[in-house]
Amino acid sequence: MTYKIQKNQLGGLFSAIAAKQKLYLPCTFSGKTDFALWGEDAAFDLDTLKTVKSAKEVFFPQCEDIVSFDTRGGNLTVTEAERETDDFVVFGVRGCDAAAFSILDSVFLSEPVDTFYKSRRDHGTVVTLCCSRPEETCFCSAFGIDAAAPSGDVTAMFSGDVLYLTPNTEKGLNLTKSVQNLLVPATQTDEKERAAEAENIRRITASLPLKNLDLSGWGKDELLEKFNSPLWKDLSLPCIGCGACTFSCPTCQCYDIRDFDKGNGVQRYRCWDSCMYSDFTMMAHGTPRPEKLQRFRQRFMHKLVYYPANNGGTFGCVGCGRCLERCPSGINIVKVIKAFGDNDR
Amino acid sequence: MKDMLIPSVGIITDIRKDTPDVKTFRVVAEGGGKCFEHIPGQCAMLSVPGVGEAMFSITSSPTQRDYMEFSIKKCGCLTEWLHSVEKDAKITVRGPFGNGFPVDGELKGKNLVFIAGGIGLAPLRSVINYVRAKRSDYGRVTVVYGARSKDDFVDFEEIENEWKNERDFSVHLTTDRPQEGWNGHVGFVPAFVKEVGLDPHDTVLLCGPPIMIKFTLSALVEMGFERTGVYTTMELRMKCGIGKCGRCNIGDKYVCKDGPVFRCDQLDELPAEY
Ligand code: SF4
Ligand code: SF4
Ligand code: FES
């Protein structure tokens, strides 16, 4: 069953959803779009393809409390931070970011389970949004992701001034049911319209410059051969180690755990970290990755070799293209893949 | 739901000064008893909130029912703080982490050679005392242990008074340099293992500083040991302890989860980035 709603009625739809549960969706701040909590004055933006940070932030926040310690009077008591207990909706997740959720799931939901992440996954309903206008930096199709049929509890698709909503799961059905009075069931003509738009999206995707990105040779094999390649030297040269690629990446999941002294106790929190930083692996007696080359190599080896080795060949990149746009030095995963490809030939 | 990131409170009930820079801490849970059960070679995250949290190998044997022990070398913020505390201090503990040595698997029934350098004895002591508690499950035991000086042996009393008297145990100590009052062997571990005369069919458990591991391993290979018969431990920076924060990733392994114990032939398949 598919429903539809006019684009100019979306404000009403979002208010209705937000009246019942928290709603996160892409909103514009200072000219940049990112996922944020819906408010009546929110400047929501469903046109921007790549939010600055990916949708992972909703499930794996950049910074979150995990436990606090009361250390007053020479005592020590431990209090766990609250897990998510309320249902919420994330609206407008693109296919690449949604595919990245499965990669994050493989890390955080494998034993021993990360209960902070899990509580959000359990309570979150994901509404994905088809990409009407894929961009030149997009290469999700290289990883088998269909921008016209992203996975999610509900799949949304714009066609002209109409937004179609197709629930795929029980969570999704509950969501469409909860706002049914605002939705109109799609007719057969609508279905045809929707299928035509999907074709349109697939046609654009097939004409993108990176559509033929060749991933052969990457994956779980040849670990040491790739690691020891002389190519890393030149590839890593422009990198300034800023970490922009890792922070904007939907699949990067490395984190740090830190303590903040509150005066009357200590708050322990975790926050995103980056393997591109020189102190990431620093120990009292040194670091195994003192060179930029080694840190640069770690990021790409992890996405293209180490992660696949542990996950049946699935790559740790979803082709969102953020690192292509954000790197101040113009180096990125596509250049790495291509450099090795050219070398093989 | 229990999360491995959440620690519990541990109380330091005893502190023993082993060497000028190593102290052994006895830790029990707040209500008494151990904080959790473990396998020899596994580790725990100890922390002093506000000061730091770090991974330490559990040096006591699981057969010790009442407490856990950690031999900790002073080398950084957290360890300096620990070295300054008195008995009854409270810390946080979480774990156990890592795979541990296969004491009930591949090591069972084998003749075992333990080779340690300095603080590297800490993880091995857990296995050695486990083997002592289940003596008939294992064959002949040889311990080769080297330290900078006679004052730098961790657990010296236990080695002298208990290990040396254990059935079918031979213990060989060496110091890096000669010293007044030391009548034992002088020399580095890699050369010493050759002098001791080991049987290359025995299974080796090797722990110590990376450089000592490297040279000892070459010596063992020269003596005819197979890399598949040598176990060692790896040390990398750790934060989560459960293979999620990415910190201790090397190749397709996470040292906190897949290690810290690796067979030397497994190490050969990993990038040389440790
Ligand atoms: S590596 Fe780059 S293209 Fe791939 S998912 Fe991360 S940011 Fe997107
Ligand atoms: S964004 Fe570019 S320069 Fe910055 S760390 Fe990533 S690869 Fe290096
Ligand atoms: S310590 Fe976090 S992955 Fe090993």
mmCIF file of all heavy atoms in Angstrom, chain A residues 88-126:
data_model
loop_
_atom_site.group_PDB
_atom_site.id
_atom_site.type_symbol
_atom_site.label_atom_id
_atom_site.label_comp_id
_atom_site.label_asym_id
_atom_site.label_seq_id
_atom_site.Cartn_x
_atom_site.Cartn_y
_atom_site.Cartn_z
ATOM 1 N N PHE A 88 10.735 7.522 18.228
ATOM 2 C CA PHE A 88 10.959 8.719 17.414
ATOM 3 C C PHE A 88 11.023 8.345 15.939
ATOM 4 O O PHE A 88 11.107 7.157 15.591
ATOM 5 C CB PHE A 88 12.246 9.437 17.848
ATOM 6 C CG PHE A 88 13.500 8.624 17.652
ATOM 7 C CD1 PHE A 88 14.216 8.675 16.461
ATOM 8 C CD2 PHE A 88 13.968 7.787 18.680
ATOM 9 C CE1 PHE A 88 15.368 7.914 16.288
ATOM 10 C CE2 PHE A 88 15.129 7.029 18.501
ATOM 11 C CZ PHE A 88 15.823 7.096 17.304
ATOM 12 N N VAL A 89 10.976 9.359 15.104
ATOM 13 C CA VAL A 89 10.999 9.143 13.658
ATOM 14 C C VAL A 89 12.169 9.923 13.059
ATOM 15 O O VAL A 89 12.440 11.054 13.467
ATOM 16 C CB VAL A 89 9.678 9.642 13.013
ATOM 17 C CG1 VAL A 89 9.757 9.558 11.489
ATOM 18 C CG2 VAL A 89 8.487 8.840 13.531
ATOM 19 N N VAL A 90 12.898 9.290 12.144
ATOM 20 C CA VAL A 90 13.904 10.009 11.357
ATOM 21 C C VAL A 90 13.375 10.059 9.941
ATOM 22 O O VAL A 90 13.170 9.018 9.321
ATOM 23 C CB VAL A 90 15.259 9.287 11.298
ATOM 24 C CG1 VAL A 90 16.344 10.276 10.944
ATOM 25 C CG2 VAL A 90 15.565 8.553 12.562
ATOM 26 N N PHE A 91 13.133 11.247 9.440
ATOM 27 C CA PHE A 91 12.496 11.407 8.132
ATOM 28 C C PHE A 91 13.496 11.939 7.117
ATOM 29 O O PHE A 91 14.230 12.888 7.403
ATOM 30 C CB PHE A 91 11.333 12.402 8.264
ATOM 31 C CG PHE A 91 10.330 12.310 7.153
ATOM 32 C CD1 PHE A 91 9.115 11.662 7.340
ATOM 33 C CD2 PHE A 91 10.611 12.871 5.910
ATOM 34 C CE1 PHE A 91 8.187 11.563 6.304
ATOM 35 C CE2 PHE A 91 9.693 12.773 4.862
ATOM 36 C CZ PHE A 91 8.482 12.124 5.064
ATOM 37 N N GLY A 92 13.534 11.306 5.948
ATOM 38 C CA GLY A 92 14.364 11.858 4.875
ATOM 39 C C GLY A 92 15.772 11.326 4.813
ATOM 40 O O GLY A 92 16.687 12.025 4.389
ATOM 41 N N VAL A 93 15.940 10.068 5.241
ATOM 42 C CA VAL A 93 17.265 9.439 5.185
ATOM 43 C C VAL A 93 17.500 8.920 3.761
ATOM 44 O O VAL A 93 16.664 8.200 3.219
ATOM 45 C CB VAL A 93 17.348 8.271 6.193
ATOM 46 C CG1 VAL A 93 18.694 7.571 6.094
ATOM 47 C CG2 VAL A 93 17.085 8.761 7.606
ATOM 48 N N ARG A 94 18.623 9.291 3.172
ATOM 49 C CA ARG A 94 18.913 8.837 1.807
ATOM 50 C C ARG A 94 19.378 7.378 1.823
ATOM 51 O O ARG A 94 19.868 6.877 2.835
ATOM 52 C CB ARG A 94 20.000 9.717 1.181
ATOM 53 C CG ARG A 94 19.635 11.185 1.146
ATOM 54 C CD ARG A 94 18.491 11.452 0.181
ATOM 55 N NE ARG A 94 18.066 12.860 0.213
ATOM 56 C CZ ARG A 94 17.274 13.399 -0.692
ATOM 57 N NH1 ARG A 94 16.777 12.655 -1.693
ATOM 58 N NH2 ARG A 94 16.924 14.668 -0.612
ATOM 59 N N GLY A 95 19.276 6.732 0.670
ATOM 60 C CA GLY A 95 19.603 5.309 0.561
ATOM 61 C C GLY A 95 20.995 4.955 1.065
ATOM 62 O O GLY A 95 21.190 3.920 1.710
ATOM 63 N N CYS A 96 21.959 5.843 0.791
ATOM 64 C CA CYS A 96 23.335 5.550 1.221
ATOM 65 C C CYS A 96 23.421 5.550 2.746
ATOM 66 O O CYS A 96 23.974 4.626 3.348
ATOM 67 C CB CYS A 96 24.317 6.545 0.620
ATOM 68 S SG CYS A 96 23.853 8.274 0.826
ATOM 69 N N ASP A 97 22.839 6.585 3.360
ATOM 70 C CA ASP A 97 22.890 6.666 4.825
ATOM 71 C C ASP A 97 22.124 5.505 5.462
ATOM 72 O O ASP A 97 22.523 4.986 6.508
ATOM 73 C CB ASP A 97 22.301 7.997 5.324
ATOM 74 C CG ASP A 97 23.269 9.167 5.137
ATOM 75 O OD1 ASP A 97 24.334 8.957 4.523
ATOM 76 O OD2 ASP A 97 22.956 10.278 5.596
ATOM 77 N N ALA A 98 21.035 5.093 4.828
ATOM 78 C CA ALA A 98 20.261 3.968 5.356
ATOM 79 C C ALA A 98 21.078 2.680 5.255
ATOM 80 O O ALA A 98 21.069 1.852 6.174
ATOM 81 C CB ALA A 98 18.936 3.831 4.608
ATOM 82 N N ALA A 99 21.790 2.520 4.148
ATOM 83 C CA ALA A 99 22.640 1.329 4.005
ATOM 84 C C ALA A 99 23.749 1.368 5.055
ATOM 85 O O ALA A 99 24.180 0.326 5.554
ATOM 86 C CB ALA A 99 23.240 1.263 2.602
ATOM 87 N N ALA A 100 24.195 2.583 5.382
ATOM 88 C CA ALA A 100 25.242 2.716 6.402
ATOM 89 C C ALA A 100 24.734 2.260 7.770
ATOM 90 O O ALA A 100 25.526 1.791 8.594
ATOM 91 C CB ALA A 100 25.732 4.159 6.484
ATOM 92 N N PHE A 101 23.419 2.378 8.003
ATOM 93 C CA PHE A 101 22.882 1.890 9.284
ATOM 94 C C PHE A 101 23.172 0.393 9.450
ATOM 95 O O PHE A 101 23.471 -0.068 10.543
ATOM 96 C CB PHE A 101 21.365 2.109 9.391
ATOM 97 C CG PHE A 101 20.949 3.560 9.467
ATOM 98 C CD1 PHE A 101 19.636 3.933 9.167
ATOM 99 C CD2 PHE A 101 21.840 4.550 9.847
ATOM 100 C CE1 PHE A 101 19.235 5.259 9.243
ATOM 101 C CE2 PHE A 101 21.448 5.888 9.922
ATOM 102 C CZ PHE A 101 20.143 6.247 9.613
ATOM 103 N N SER A 102 23.070 -0.363 8.363
ATOM 104 C CA SER A 102 23.334 -1.816 8.496
ATOM 105 C C SER A 102 24.787 -2.056 8.847
ATOM 106 O O SER A 102 25.112 -3.010 9.552
ATOM 107 C CB SER A 102 23.037 -2.590 7.214
ATOM 108 O OG SER A 102 22.063 -1.966 6.477
ATOM 109 N N ILE A 103 25.672 -1.183 8.329
ATOM 110 C CA ILE A 103 27.093 -1.337 8.672
ATOM 111 C C ILE A 103 27.306 -0.998 10.151
ATOM 112 O O ILE A 103 27.982 -1.730 10.870
ATOM 113 C CB ILE A 103 27.960 -0.465 7.735
ATOM 114 C CG1 ILE A 103 27.907 -1.061 6.328
ATOM 115 C CG2 ILE A 103 29.396 -0.365 8.243
ATOM 116 C CD1 ILE A 103 28.537 -0.217 5.259
ATOM 117 N N LEU A 104 26.678 0.084 10.602
ATOM 118 C CA LEU A 104 26.786 0.428 12.026
ATOM 119 C C LEU A 104 26.166 -0.674 12.886
ATOM 120 O O LEU A 104 26.692 -1.022 13.943
ATOM 121 C CB LEU A 104 26.087 1.763 12.314
ATOM 122 C CG LEU A 104 26.665 3.006 11.620
ATOM 123 C CD1 LEU A 104 25.847 4.234 11.979
ATOM 124 C CD2 LEU A 104 28.121 3.229 11.996
ATOM 125 N N ASP A 105 25.041 -1.233 12.407
ATOM 126 C CA ASP A 105 24.397 -2.339 13.140
ATOM 127 C C ASP A 105 25.369 -3.501 13.325
ATOM 128 O O ASP A 105 25.439 -4.095 14.398
ATOM 129 C CB ASP A 105 23.166 -2.860 12.371
ATOM 130 C CG ASP A 105 21.975 -1.903 12.471
ATOM 131 O OD1 ASP A 105 22.064 -0.915 13.228
ATOM 132 O OD2 ASP A 105 20.963 -2.146 11.779
ATOM 133 N N SER A 106 26.109 -3.821 12.259
ATOM 134 C CA SER A 106 27.003 -4.986 12.336
ATOM 135 C C SER A 106 28.059 -4.772 13.419
ATOM 136 O O SER A 106 28.572 -5.726 13.981
ATOM 137 C CB SER A 106 27.656 -5.258 10.978
ATOM 138 O OG SER A 106 28.629 -4.268 10.687
ATOM 139 N N VAL A 107 28.386 -3.530 13.674
ATOM 140 C CA VAL A 107 29.373 -3.236 14.722
ATOM 141 C C VAL A 107 28.701 -3.145 16.093
ATOM 142 O O VAL A 107 29.056 -3.855 17.033
ATOM 143 C CB VAL A 107 30.111 -1.903 14.421
ATOM 144 C CG1 VAL A 107 31.045 -1.536 15.569
ATOM 145 C CG2 VAL A 107 30.868 -1.993 13.109
ATOM 146 N N PHE A 108 27.706 -2.286 16.200
ATOM 147 C CA PHE A 108 27.150 -1.973 17.521
ATOM 148 C C PHE A 108 26.166 -3.023 18.038
ATOM 149 O O PHE A 108 25.959 -3.128 19.246
ATOM 150 C CB PHE A 108 26.468 -0.606 17.498
ATOM 151 C CG PHE A 108 27.446 0.535 17.397
ATOM 152 C CD1 PHE A 108 27.326 1.502 16.415
ATOM 153 C CD2 PHE A 108 28.502 0.636 18.296
ATOM 154 C CE1 PHE A 108 28.230 2.555 16.325
ATOM 155 C CE2 PHE A 108 29.416 1.687 18.209
ATOM 156 C CZ PHE A 108 29.281 2.642 17.224
ATOM 157 N N LEU A 109 25.532 -3.761 17.141
ATOM 158 C CA LEU A 109 24.536 -4.737 17.615
ATOM 159 C C LEU A 109 25.116 -6.143 17.733
ATOM 160 O O LEU A 109 24.443 -7.061 18.176
ATOM 161 C CB LEU A 109 23.307 -4.748 16.697
ATOM 162 C CG LEU A 109 22.540 -3.422 16.598
ATOM 163 C CD1 LEU A 109 21.285 -3.592 15.752
ATOM 164 C CD2 LEU A 109 22.179 -2.886 17.982
ATOM 165 N N SER A 110 26.396 -6.307 17.329
ATOM 166 C CA SER A 110 26.998 -7.628 17.525
ATOM 167 C C SER A 110 27.401 -7.732 18.997
ATOM 168 O O SER A 110 27.651 -6.725 19.650
ATOM 169 C CB SER A 110 28.214 -7.797 16.604
ATOM 170 O OG SER A 110 29.206 -6.841 16.906
ATOM 171 N N GLU A 111 27.490 -8.963 19.497
ATOM 172 C CA GLU A 111 27.814 -9.186 20.912
ATOM 173 C C GLU A 111 29.220 -8.703 21.244
ATOM 174 O O GLU A 111 30.122 -8.942 20.437
ATOM 175 C CB GLU A 111 27.684 -10.669 21.247
ATOM 176 C CG GLU A 111 26.253 -11.143 21.363
ATOM 177 C CD GLU A 111 25.481 -10.508 22.515
ATOM 178 O OE1 GLU A 111 26.112 -10.118 23.523
ATOM 179 O OE2 GLU A 111 24.256 -10.395 22.397
ATOM 180 N N PRO A 112 29.458 -8.068 22.343
ATOM 181 C CA PRO A 112 28.470 -7.565 23.295
ATOM 182 C C PRO A 112 27.800 -6.285 22.771
ATOM 183 O O PRO A 112 28.468 -5.381 22.291
ATOM 184 C CB PRO A 112 29.321 -7.251 24.534
ATOM 185 C CG PRO A 112 30.698 -7.009 24.026
ATOM 186 C CD PRO A 112 30.849 -7.771 22.753
ATOM 187 N N VAL A 113 26.473 -6.273 22.856
ATOM 188 C CA VAL A 113 25.674 -5.212 22.243
ATOM 189 C C VAL A 113 25.946 -3.849 22.889
ATOM 190 O O VAL A 113 26.101 -3.738 24.096
ATOM 191 C CB VAL A 113 24.179 -5.571 22.396
ATOM 192 C CG1 VAL A 113 23.290 -4.415 21.971
ATOM 193 C CG2 VAL A 113 23.866 -6.819 21.586
ATOM 194 N N ASP A 114 26.013 -2.810 22.057
ATOM 195 C CA ASP A 114 26.079 -1.442 22.558
ATOM 196 C C ASP A 114 24.636 -1.016 22.859
ATOM 197 O O ASP A 114 23.847 -0.768 21.951
ATOM 198 C CB ASP A 114 26.691 -0.532 21.498
ATOM 199 C CG ASP A 114 26.884 0.881 22.009
ATOM 200 O OD1 ASP A 114 25.893 1.515 22.430
ATOM 201 O OD2 ASP A 114 28.029 1.356 21.990
ATOM 202 N N THR A 115 24.315 -0.951 24.135
ATOM 203 C CA THR A 115 22.908 -0.750 24.517
ATOM 204 C C THR A 115 22.429 0.676 24.270
ATOM 205 O O THR A 115 21.222 0.912 24.187
ATOM 206 C CB THR A 115 22.703 -1.105 25.997
ATOM 207 O OG1 THR A 115 23.582 -0.304 26.787
ATOM 208 C CG2 THR A 115 23.005 -2.578 26.251
ATOM 209 N N PHE A 116 23.354 1.614 24.168
ATOM 210 C CA PHE A 116 22.953 3.002 23.892
ATOM 211 C C PHE A 116 22.454 3.100 22.449
ATOM 212 O O PHE A 116 21.384 3.638 22.171
ATOM 213 C CB PHE A 116 24.135 3.954 24.125
ATOM 214 C CG PHE A 116 24.563 3.969 25.561
ATOM 215 C CD1 PHE A 116 25.533 3.098 26.030
ATOM 216 C CD2 PHE A 116 23.956 4.836 26.460
ATOM 217 C CE1 PHE A 116 25.901 3.086 27.361
ATOM 218 C CE2 PHE A 116 24.322 4.831 27.795
ATOM 219 C CZ PHE A 116 25.303 3.955 28.254
ATOM 220 N N TYR A 117 23.252 2.549 21.547
ATOM 221 C CA TYR A 117 22.880 2.526 20.130
ATOM 222 C C TYR A 117 21.606 1.696 19.940
ATOM 223 O O TYR A 117 20.674 2.110 19.253
ATOM 224 C CB TYR A 117 24.038 1.938 19.324
ATOM 225 C CG TYR A 117 23.791 1.795 17.845
ATOM 226 C CD1 TYR A 117 24.002 2.864 16.984
ATOM 227 C CD2 TYR A 117 23.351 0.581 17.303
ATOM 228 C CE1 TYR A 117 23.780 2.736 15.618
ATOM 229 C CE2 TYR A 117 23.135 0.447 15.940
ATOM 230 C CZ TYR A 117 23.349 1.523 15.095
ATOM 231 O OH TYR A 117 23.125 1.388 13.746
ATOM 232 N N LYS A 118 21.572 0.537 20.589
ATOM 233 C CA LYS A 118 20.434 -0.366 20.395
ATOM 234 C C LYS A 118 19.121 0.278 20.830
ATOM 235 O O LYS A 118 18.093 0.133 20.164
ATOM 236 C CB LYS A 118 20.640 -1.677 21.154
ATOM 237 C CG LYS A 118 19.502 -2.670 20.948
ATOM 238 C CD LYS A 118 19.785 -4.022 21.569
ATOM 239 C CE LYS A 118 18.755 -5.063 21.147
ATOM 240 N NZ LYS A 118 17.385 -4.747 21.539
ATOM 241 N N SER A 119 19.159 1.013 21.940
ATOM 242 C CA SER A 119 17.905 1.600 22.415
ATOM 243 C C SER A 119 17.368 2.591 21.383
ATOM 244 O O SER A 119 16.156 2.709 21.199
ATOM 245 C CB SER A 119 18.105 2.278 23.772
ATOM 246 O OG SER A 119 18.926 3.422 23.658
ATOM 247 N N ARG A 120 18.270 3.267 20.683
ATOM 248 C CA ARG A 120 17.794 4.207 19.662
ATOM 249 C C ARG A 120 17.301 3.463 18.428
ATOM 250 O O ARG A 120 16.301 3.836 17.825
ATOM 251 C CB ARG A 120 18.903 5.185 19.277
ATOM 252 C CG ARG A 120 19.310 6.060 20.428
ATOM 253 C CD ARG A 120 20.056 7.301 19.980
ATOM 254 N NE ARG A 120 20.604 7.927 21.168
ATOM 255 C CZ ARG A 120 21.814 7.658 21.656
ATOM 256 N NH1 ARG A 120 22.609 6.829 21.014
ATOM 257 N NH2 ARG A 120 22.218 8.233 22.759
ATOM 258 N N ARG A 121 18.016 2.391 18.060
ATOM 259 C CA ARG A 121 17.563 1.614 16.896
ATOM 260 C C ARG A 121 16.185 1.019 17.171
ATOM 261 O O ARG A 121 15.328 1.002 16.302
ATOM 262 C CB ARG A 121 18.568 0.502 16.568
ATOM 263 C CG ARG A 121 19.833 1.001 15.913
ATOM 264 C CD ARG A 121 19.561 1.622 14.560
ATOM 265 N NE ARG A 121 19.643 0.687 13.452
ATOM 266 C CZ ARG A 121 18.983 0.816 12.306
ATOM 267 N NH1 ARG A 121 18.144 1.814 12.132
ATOM 268 N NH2 ARG A 121 19.134 -0.062 11.331
ATOM 269 N N ASP A 122 15.993 0.540 18.396
ATOM 270 C CA ASP A 122 14.717 -0.072 18.740
ATOM 271 C C ASP A 122 13.574 0.940 18.682
ATOM 272 O O ASP A 122 12.464 0.618 18.282
ATOM 273 C CB ASP A 122 14.761 -0.660 20.162
ATOM 274 C CG ASP A 122 15.589 -1.933 20.215
ATOM 275 O OD1 ASP A 122 15.903 -2.465 19.131
ATOM 276 O OD2 ASP A 122 15.914 -2.386 21.333
ATOM 277 N N HIS A 123 13.846 2.162 19.103
ATOM 278 C CA HIS A 123 12.770 3.151 19.202
ATOM 279 C C HIS A 123 12.625 4.022 17.961
ATOM 280 O O HIS A 123 11.671 4.777 17.852
ATOM 281 C CB HIS A 123 12.984 4.031 20.440
ATOM 282 C CG HIS A 123 12.669 3.317 21.716
ATOM 283 N ND1 HIS A 123 11.378 3.096 22.130
ATOM 284 C CD2 HIS A 123 13.469 2.736 22.633
ATOM 285 C CE1 HIS A 123 11.399 2.421 23.266
ATOM 286 N NE2 HIS A 123 12.661 2.179 23.594
ATOM 287 N N GLY A 124 13.573 3.921 17.028
ATOM 288 C CA GLY A 124 13.527 4.800 15.862
ATOM 289 C C GLY A 124 12.815 4.182 14.673
ATOM 290 O O GLY A 124 12.987 3.005 14.365
ATOM 291 N N THR A 125 11.983 4.965 14.017
ATOM 292 C CA THR A 125 11.372 4.559 12.764
ATOM 293 C C THR A 125 12.051 5.356 11.657
ATOM 294 O O THR A 125 12.111 6.585 11.718
ATOM 295 C CB THR A 125 9.859 4.870 12.763
ATOM 296 O OG1 THR A 125 9.250 4.149 13.833
ATOM 297 C CG2 THR A 125 9.211 4.472 11.449
ATOM 298 N N VAL A 126 12.588 4.644 10.663
ATOM 299 C CA VAL A 126 13.361 5.312 9.617
ATOM 300 C C VAL A 126 12.517 5.489 8.360
ATOM 301 O O VAL A 126 11.996 4.524 7.804
ATOM 302 C CB VAL A 126 14.626 4.490 9.278
ATOM 303 C CG1 VAL A 126 15.372 5.116 8.103
ATOM 304 C CG2 VAL A 126 15.531 4.374 10.501
#
